[in-house]
Every structure is written in C-alpha cells, then in structure tokens.
PDB file of all heavy atoms in Angstrom:
ATOM      1  N   ASP Y   1       0.823  -1.208   0.000  1.00 86.00           N
ATOM      2  CA  ASP Y   1       0.000   0.000   0.000  1.00 86.00           C
ATOM      3  C   ASP Y   1       0.863   1.266   0.000  1.00 86.00           C
ATOM      4  O   ASP Y   1       0.478   2.289  -0.572  1.00 86.00           O
ATOM      5  CB  ASP Y   1      -0.939   0.007   1.210  1.00 86.00           C
ATOM      6  CG  ASP Y   1      -2.098  -0.970   1.057  1.00 86.00           C
ATOM      7  OD1 ASP Y   1      -2.456  -1.278  -0.104  1.00 86.00           O
ATOM      8  OD2 ASP Y   1      -2.635  -1.430   2.079  1.00 86.00           O
ATOM      9  N   ASP Y   2       2.021   1.180   0.622  1.00 85.00           N
ATOM     10  CA  ASP Y   2       2.940   2.321   0.588  1.00 85.00           C
ATOM     11  C   ASP Y   2       3.437   2.581  -0.832  1.00 85.00           C
ATOM     12  O   ASP Y   2       3.601   3.739  -1.243  1.00 85.00           O
ATOM     13  CB  ASP Y   2       4.135   2.067   1.511  1.00 85.00           C
ATOM     14  CG  ASP Y   2       3.746   2.093   2.986  1.00 85.00           C
ATOM     15  OD1 ASP Y   2       2.594   2.466   3.284  1.00 85.00           O
ATOM     16  OD2 ASP Y   2       4.582   1.742   3.821  1.00 85.00           O
ATOM     17  N   ILE Y   3       3.682   1.502  -1.569  1.00 88.00           N
ATOM     18  CA  ILE Y   3       4.137   1.645  -2.957  1.00 88.00           C
ATOM     19  C   ILE Y   3       3.015   2.250  -3.803  1.00 88.00           C
ATOM     20  O   ILE Y   3       3.258   3.101  -4.664  1.00 88.00           O
ATOM     21  CB  ILE Y   3       4.584   0.296  -3.531  1.00 88.00           C
ATOM     22  CG1 ILE Y   3       5.754  -0.270  -2.722  1.00 88.00           C
ATOM     23  CG2 ILE Y   3       4.969   0.442  -4.992  1.00 88.00           C
ATOM     24  CD1 ILE Y   3       6.959   0.648  -2.653  1.00 88.00           C
ATOM     25  N   LEU Y   4       1.779   1.816  -3.559  1.00 88.00           N
ATOM     26  CA  LEU Y   4       0.641   2.400  -4.271  1.00 88.00           C
ATOM     27  C   LEU Y   4       0.561   3.901  -3.990  1.00 88.00           C
ATOM     28  O   LEU Y   4       0.314   4.709  -4.895  1.00 88.00           O
ATOM     29  CB  LEU Y   4      -0.657   1.703  -3.861  1.00 88.00           C
ATOM     30  CG  LEU Y   4      -0.900   0.315  -4.462  1.00 88.00           C
ATOM     31  CD1 LEU Y   4      -2.079  -0.360  -3.766  1.00 88.00           C
ATOM     32  CD2 LEU Y   4      -1.158   0.406  -5.958  1.00 88.00           C
ATOM     33  N   ALA Y   5       0.768   4.262  -2.742  1.00 86.00           N
ATOM     34  CA  ALA Y   5       0.744   5.683  -2.384  1.00 86.00           C
ATOM     35  C   ALA Y   5       1.869   6.423  -3.095  1.00 86.00           C
ATOM     36  O   ALA Y   5       1.682   7.562  -3.555  1.00 86.00           O
ATOM     37  CB  ALA Y   5       0.874   5.836  -0.869  1.00 86.00           C
ATOM     38  N   GLU Y   6       3.019   5.784  -3.192  1.00 86.00           N
ATOM     39  CA  GLU Y   6       4.157   6.387  -3.892  1.00 86.00           C
ATOM     40  C   GLU Y   6       3.817   6.635  -5.355  1.00 86.00           C
ATOM     41  O   GLU Y   6       4.275   7.601  -5.970  1.00 86.00           O
ATOM     42  CB  GLU Y   6       5.368   5.453  -3.795  1.00 86.00           C
ATOM     43  CG  GLU Y   6       6.656   6.005  -4.351  1.00 86.00           C
ATOM     44  CD  GLU Y   6       7.243   7.108  -3.472  1.00 86.00           C
ATOM     45  OE1 GLU Y   6       7.276   6.949  -2.232  1.00 86.00           O
ATOM     46  OE2 GLU Y   6       7.657   8.126  -4.052  1.00 86.00           O
ATOM     47  N   MET Y   7       2.971   5.763  -5.914  1.00 88.00           N
ATOM     48  CA  MET Y   7       2.551   5.884  -7.312  1.00 88.00           C
ATOM     49  C   MET Y   7       1.350   6.802  -7.476  1.00 88.00           C
ATOM     50  O   MET Y   7       0.905   7.034  -8.601  1.00 88.00           O
ATOM     51  CB  MET Y   7       2.225   4.498  -7.871  1.00 88.00           C
ATOM     52  CG  MET Y   7       3.387   3.518  -7.879  1.00 88.00           C
ATOM     53  SD  MET Y   7       2.880   1.828  -8.290  1.00 88.00           S
ATOM     54  CE  MET Y   7       2.363   2.048  -9.991  1.00 88.00           C
ATOM     55  N   GLY Y   8       0.781   7.264  -6.360  1.00 84.00           N
ATOM     56  CA  GLY Y   8      -0.398   8.113  -6.430  1.00 84.00           C
ATOM     57  C   GLY Y   8      -1.673   7.346  -6.705  1.00 84.00           C
ATOM     58  O   GLY Y   8      -2.629   7.887  -7.255  1.00 84.00           O
ATOM     59  N   VAL Y   9      -1.681   6.061  -6.303  1.00 86.00           N
ATOM     60  CA  VAL Y   9      -2.846   5.203  -6.539  1.00 86.00           C
ATOM     61  C   VAL Y   9      -3.521   4.887  -5.210  1.00 86.00           C
ATOM     62  O   VAL Y   9      -2.868   4.441  -4.255  1.00 86.00           O
ATOM     63  CB  VAL Y   9      -2.429   3.882  -7.232  1.00 86.00           C
ATOM     64  CG1 VAL Y   9      -3.637   2.966  -7.390  1.00 86.00           C
ATOM     65  CG2 VAL Y   9      -1.793   4.176  -8.585  1.00 86.00           C
ATOM     66  N   ALA Y  10      -4.819   5.114  -5.138  1.00 81.00           N
ATOM     67  CA  ALA Y  10      -5.587   4.790  -3.938  1.00 81.00           C
ATOM     68  C   ALA Y  10      -6.126   3.368  -4.068  1.00 81.00           C
ATOM     69  O   ALA Y  10      -6.797   3.045  -5.054  1.00 81.00           O
ATOM     70  CB  ALA Y  10      -6.744   5.768  -3.761  1.00 81.00           C
ATOM     71  N   PRO Y  11      -5.837   2.465  -3.125  1.00 79.00           N
ATOM     72  CA  PRO Y  11      -6.326   1.081  -3.204  1.00 79.00           C
ATOM     73  C   PRO Y  11      -7.849   1.033  -3.292  1.00 79.00           C
ATOM     74  O   PRO Y  11      -8.540   1.794  -2.614  1.00 79.00           O
ATOM     75  CB  PRO Y  11      -5.825   0.453  -1.895  1.00 79.00           C
ATOM     76  CG  PRO Y  11      -4.675   1.312  -1.482  1.00 79.00           C
ATOM     77  CD  PRO Y  11      -5.042   2.699  -1.923  1.00 79.00           C
ATOM     78  N   THR Y  12      -8.351   0.154  -4.142  1.00 73.00           N
ATOM     79  CA  THR Y  12      -9.796  -0.013  -4.277  1.00 73.00           C
ATOM     80  C   THR Y  12     -10.299  -1.232  -3.527  1.00 73.00           C
ATOM     81  O   THR Y  12     -11.477  -1.547  -3.546  1.00 73.00           O
ATOM     82  CB  THR Y  12     -10.180  -0.152  -5.758  1.00 73.00           C
ATOM     83  OG1 THR Y  12      -9.483  -1.271  -6.326  1.00 73.00           O
ATOM     84  CG2 THR Y  12      -9.804   1.106  -6.533  1.00 73.00           C
ATOM     85  N   ALA Y  13      -9.361  -1.963  -2.888  1.00 65.00           N
ATOM     86  CA  ALA Y  13      -9.725  -3.157  -2.136  1.00 65.00           C
ATOM     87  C   ALA Y  13      -8.822  -3.251  -0.913  1.00 65.00           C
ATOM     88  O   ALA Y  13      -7.719  -2.719  -0.898  1.00 65.00           O
ATOM     89  CB  ALA Y  13      -9.590  -4.406  -2.993  1.00 65.00           C
ATOM     90  N   THR Y  14      -9.318  -3.942   0.123  1.00 63.00           N
ATOM     91  CA  THR Y  14      -8.520  -4.144   1.322  1.00 63.00           C
ATOM     92  C   THR Y  14      -7.636  -5.356   1.133  1.00 63.00           C
ATOM     93  O   THR Y  14      -8.117  -6.436   0.793  1.00 63.00           O
ATOM     94  CB  THR Y  14      -9.434  -4.358   2.546  1.00 63.00           C
ATOM     95  OG1 THR Y  14     -10.277  -3.223   2.695  1.00 63.00           O
ATOM     96  CG2 THR Y  14      -8.598  -4.561   3.800  1.00 63.00           C
ATOM     97  N   LYS Y  15      -6.349  -5.185   1.353  1.00 63.00           N
ATOM     98  CA  LYS Y  15      -5.413  -6.286   1.145  1.00 63.00           C
ATOM     99  C   LYS Y  15      -5.412  -7.227   2.330  1.00 63.00           C
ATOM    100  O   LYS Y  15      -5.362  -6.804   3.484  1.00 63.00           O
ATOM    101  CB  LYS Y  15      -3.994  -5.749   0.929  1.00 63.00           C
ATOM    102  CG  LYS Y  15      -3.019  -6.840   0.513  1.00 63.00           C
ATOM    103  CD  LYS Y  15      -1.672  -6.251   0.171  1.00 63.00           C
ATOM    104  CE  LYS Y  15      -0.777  -7.290  -0.484  1.00 63.00           C
ATOM    105  NZ  LYS Y  15      -0.663  -8.510   0.304  1.00 63.00           N
ATOM    106  N   ASP Y  16      -5.469  -8.532   2.028  1.00 59.00           N
ATOM    107  CA  ASP Y  16      -5.379  -9.547   3.068  1.00 59.00           C
ATOM    108  C   ASP Y  16      -3.900  -9.834   3.318  1.00 59.00           C
ATOM    109  O   ASP Y  16      -3.251 -10.519   2.537  1.00 59.00           O
ATOM    110  CB  ASP Y  16      -6.106 -10.823   2.622  1.00 59.00           C
ATOM    111  CG  ASP Y  16      -6.005 -11.936   3.660  1.00 59.00           C
ATOM    112  OD1 ASP Y  16      -5.506 -11.656   4.763  1.00 59.00           O
ATOM    113  OD2 ASP Y  16      -6.411 -13.072   3.348  1.00 59.00           O
ATOM    114  N   LYS Y  17      -3.362  -9.308   4.382  1.00 54.00           N
ATOM    115  CA  LYS Y  17      -1.941  -9.482   4.676  1.00 54.00           C
ATOM    116  C   LYS Y  17      -1.652 -10.747   5.478  1.00 54.00           C
ATOM    117  O   LYS Y  17      -0.507 -11.023   5.805  1.00 54.00           O
ATOM    118  CB  LYS Y  17      -1.416  -8.269   5.447  1.00 54.00           C
ATOM    119  CG  LYS Y  17      -1.469  -6.971   4.636  1.00 54.00           C
ATOM    120  CD  LYS Y  17      -0.802  -5.833   5.374  1.00 54.00           C
ATOM    121  CE  LYS Y  17      -0.813  -4.560   4.528  1.00 54.00           C
ATOM    122  NZ  LYS Y  17      -0.099  -3.449   5.190  1.00 54.00           N
ATOM    123  N   SER Y  18      -2.691 -11.521   5.771  1.00 49.00           N
ATOM    124  CA  SER Y  18      -2.487 -12.708   6.592  1.00 49.00           C
ATOM    125  C   SER Y  18      -2.211 -13.952   5.769  1.00 49.00           C
ATOM    126  O   SER Y  18      -1.778 -14.956   6.291  1.00 49.00           O
ATOM    127  CB  SER Y  18      -3.733 -12.967   7.446  1.00 49.00           C
ATOM    128  OG  SER Y  18      -4.851 -13.272   6.617  1.00 49.00           O
ATOM    129  N   ARG Y  19      -2.461 -13.908   4.466  1.00 47.00           N
ATOM    130  CA  ARG Y  19      -2.283 -15.106   3.655  1.00 47.00           C
ATOM    131  C   ARG Y  19      -0.807 -15.467   3.591  1.00 47.00           C
ATOM    132  O   ARG Y  19       0.062 -14.618   3.522  1.00 47.00           O
ATOM    133  CB  ARG Y  19      -2.850 -14.907   2.244  1.00 47.00           C
ATOM    134  CG  ARG Y  19      -2.220 -13.767   1.470  1.00 47.00           C
ATOM    135  CD  ARG Y  19      -2.897 -13.637   0.133  1.00 47.00           C
ATOM    136  NE  ARG Y  19      -2.269 -12.573  -0.653  1.00 47.00           N
ATOM    137  CZ  ARG Y  19      -2.416 -12.431  -1.945  1.00 47.00           C
ATOM    138  NH1 ARG Y  19      -3.167 -13.276  -2.606  1.00 47.00           N
ATOM    139  NH2 ARG Y  19      -1.821 -11.453  -2.587  1.00 47.00           N
ATOM    140  N   SER Y  20      -0.521 -16.762   3.592  1.00 40.00           N
ATOM    141  CA  SER Y  20       0.865 -17.213   3.635  1.00 40.00           C
ATOM    142  C   SER Y  20       1.416 -17.537   2.264  1.00 40.00           C
ATOM    143  O   SER Y  20       2.605 -17.726   2.103  1.00 40.00           O
ATOM    144  CB  SER Y  20       0.981 -18.460   4.518  1.00 40.00           C
ATOM    145  OG  SER Y  20       0.167 -19.498   3.994  1.00 40.00           O
ATOM    146  N   ARG Y  21       0.557 -17.608   1.275  1.00 42.00           N
ATOM    147  CA  ARG Y  21       1.042 -17.965  -0.059  1.00 42.00           C
ATOM    148  C   ARG Y  21       0.320 -17.134  -1.098  1.00 42.00           C
ATOM    149  O   ARG Y  21      -0.882 -16.933  -1.031  1.00 42.00           O
ATOM    150  CB  ARG Y  21       0.805 -19.464  -0.345  1.00 42.00           C
ATOM    151  CG  ARG Y  21       1.435 -19.924  -1.647  1.00 42.00           C
ATOM    152  CD  ARG Y  21       1.250 -21.432  -1.815  1.00 42.00           C
ATOM    153  NE  ARG Y  21       1.915 -21.911  -3.011  1.00 42.00           N
ATOM    154  CZ  ARG Y  21       1.363 -21.869  -4.219  1.00 42.00           C
ATOM    155  NH1 ARG Y  21       0.160 -21.374  -4.376  1.00 42.00           N
ATOM    156  NH2 ARG Y  21       2.018 -22.325  -5.279  1.00 42.00           N
ATOM    157  N   THR Y  22       1.052 -16.662  -2.087  1.00 38.00           N
ATOM    158  CA  THR Y  22       0.485 -15.823  -3.128  1.00 38.00           C
ATOM    159  C   THR Y  22       0.150 -16.664  -4.351  1.00 38.00           C
ATOM    160  O   THR Y  22       1.012 -17.395  -4.846  1.00 38.00           O
ATOM    161  CB  THR Y  22       1.479 -14.724  -3.551  1.00 38.00           C
ATOM    162  OG1 THR Y  22       1.797 -13.953  -2.400  1.00 38.00           O
ATOM    163  CG2 THR Y  22       0.874 -13.822  -4.613  1.00 38.00           C
ATOM    164  N   PRO Y  23      -1.078 -16.606  -4.873  1.00 38.00           N
ATOM    165  CA  PRO Y  23      -1.407 -17.362  -6.078  1.00 38.00           C
ATOM    166  C   PRO Y  23      -0.699 -16.793  -7.290  1.00 38.00           C
ATOM    167  O   PRO Y  23      -0.132 -15.708  -7.246  1.00 38.00           O
ATOM    168  CB  PRO Y  23      -2.928 -17.172  -6.194  1.00 38.00           C
ATOM    169  CG  PRO Y  23      -3.189 -15.882  -5.491  1.00 38.00           C
ATOM    170  CD  PRO Y  23      -2.204 -15.826  -4.363  1.00 38.00           C
ATOM    171  N   ALA Y  24      -0.742 -17.542  -8.390  1.00 40.00           N
ATOM    172  CA  ALA Y  24      -0.075 -17.098  -9.609  1.00 40.00           C
ATOM    173  C   ALA Y  24      -0.718 -15.828 -10.136  1.00 40.00           C
ATOM    174  O   ALA Y  24      -1.885 -15.536  -9.852  1.00 40.00           O
ATOM    175  CB  ALA Y  24      -0.158 -18.201 -10.664  1.00 40.00           C
ATOM    176  N   LEU Y  25       0.051 -15.069 -10.903  1.00 40.00           N
ATOM    177  CA  LEU Y  25      -0.476 -13.855 -11.514  1.00 40.00           C
ATOM    178  C   LEU Y  25      -1.645 -14.192 -12.417  1.00 40.00           C
ATOM    179  O   LEU Y  25      -1.700 -15.289 -12.993  1.00 40.00           O
ATOM    180  CB  LEU Y  25       0.615 -13.157 -12.329  1.00 40.00           C
ATOM    181  CG  LEU Y  25       1.699 -12.444 -11.504  1.00 40.00           C
ATOM    182  CD1 LEU Y  25       2.818 -12.011 -12.423  1.00 40.00           C
ATOM    183  CD2 LEU Y  25       1.123 -11.240 -10.785  1.00 40.00           C
ATOM    184  N   PRO Y  26      -2.606 -13.268 -12.577  1.00 44.00           N
ATOM    185  CA  PRO Y  26      -3.748 -13.532 -13.447  1.00 44.00           C
ATOM    186  C   PRO Y  26      -3.296 -13.907 -14.849  1.00 44.00           C
ATOM    187  O   PRO Y  26      -2.390 -13.300 -15.401  1.00 44.00           O
ATOM    188  CB  PRO Y  26      -4.488 -12.178 -13.445  1.00 44.00           C
ATOM    189  CG  PRO Y  26      -4.048 -11.504 -12.207  1.00 44.00           C
ATOM    190  CD  PRO Y  26      -2.644 -11.940 -11.962  1.00 44.00           C
ATOM    191  N   LYS Y  27      -3.930 -14.907 -15.432  1.00 47.00           N
ATOM    192  CA  LYS Y  27      -3.578 -15.342 -16.773  1.00 47.00           C
ATOM    193  C   LYS Y  27      -4.654 -14.922 -17.758  1.00 47.00           C
ATOM    194  O   LYS Y  27      -5.817 -14.781 -17.411  1.00 47.00           O
ATOM    195  CB  LYS Y  27      -3.412 -16.874 -16.820  1.00 47.00           C
ATOM    196  CG  LYS Y  27      -2.247 -17.365 -15.962  1.00 47.00           C
ATOM    197  CD  LYS Y  27      -2.086 -18.860 -16.095  1.00 47.00           C
ATOM    198  CE  LYS Y  27      -0.905 -19.361 -15.273  1.00 47.00           C
ATOM    199  NZ  LYS Y  27      -0.748 -20.821 -15.381  1.00 47.00           N
ATOM    200  N   VAL Y  28      -4.231 -14.752 -18.980  1.00 47.00           N
ATOM    201  CA  VAL Y  28      -5.177 -14.382 -20.022  1.00 47.00           C
ATOM    202  C   VAL Y  28      -6.106 -15.548 -20.287  1.00 47.00           C
ATOM    203  O   VAL Y  28      -5.679 -16.694 -20.403  1.00 47.00           O
ATOM    204  CB  VAL Y  28      -4.421 -14.022 -21.322  1.00 47.00           C
ATOM    205  CG1 VAL Y  28      -5.404 -13.764 -22.446  1.00 47.00           C
ATOM    206  CG2 VAL Y  28      -3.552 -12.803 -21.096  1.00 47.00           C
TER     207      VAL Y  28
END
C-alpha cells in the first residue's frame, strides 16, 4: 500500500496481509 501511495494510486480493495502464499499472476 505504501508503494501504491508512492505511485499516487488509492487502493480499491482491502489487502489480506495474513495469507501465507500468493497465487499465480492472473492469466489471459
């Protein structure tokens, strides 16, 4: 969220910081 702020972007969703594993990037 700090990086988003650095970019001037306001988050549109609340980030779940408790998850232990990140899924793969969205695929086409």
Side-chain angles (χ1 to χ4, degrees):
D1 286 335
D2 290 352
I3 299 303
L4 284 169
E6 186 72 44
M7 299 170 66
V9 176
T12 58
T14 301
K15 188 174 190 307
D16 178 8
K17 296 186 178 183
S18 64
R19 59 182 182 163
S20 60
R21 187 176 184 276
T22 302
L25 286 170
K27 296 183 179 179
V28 175

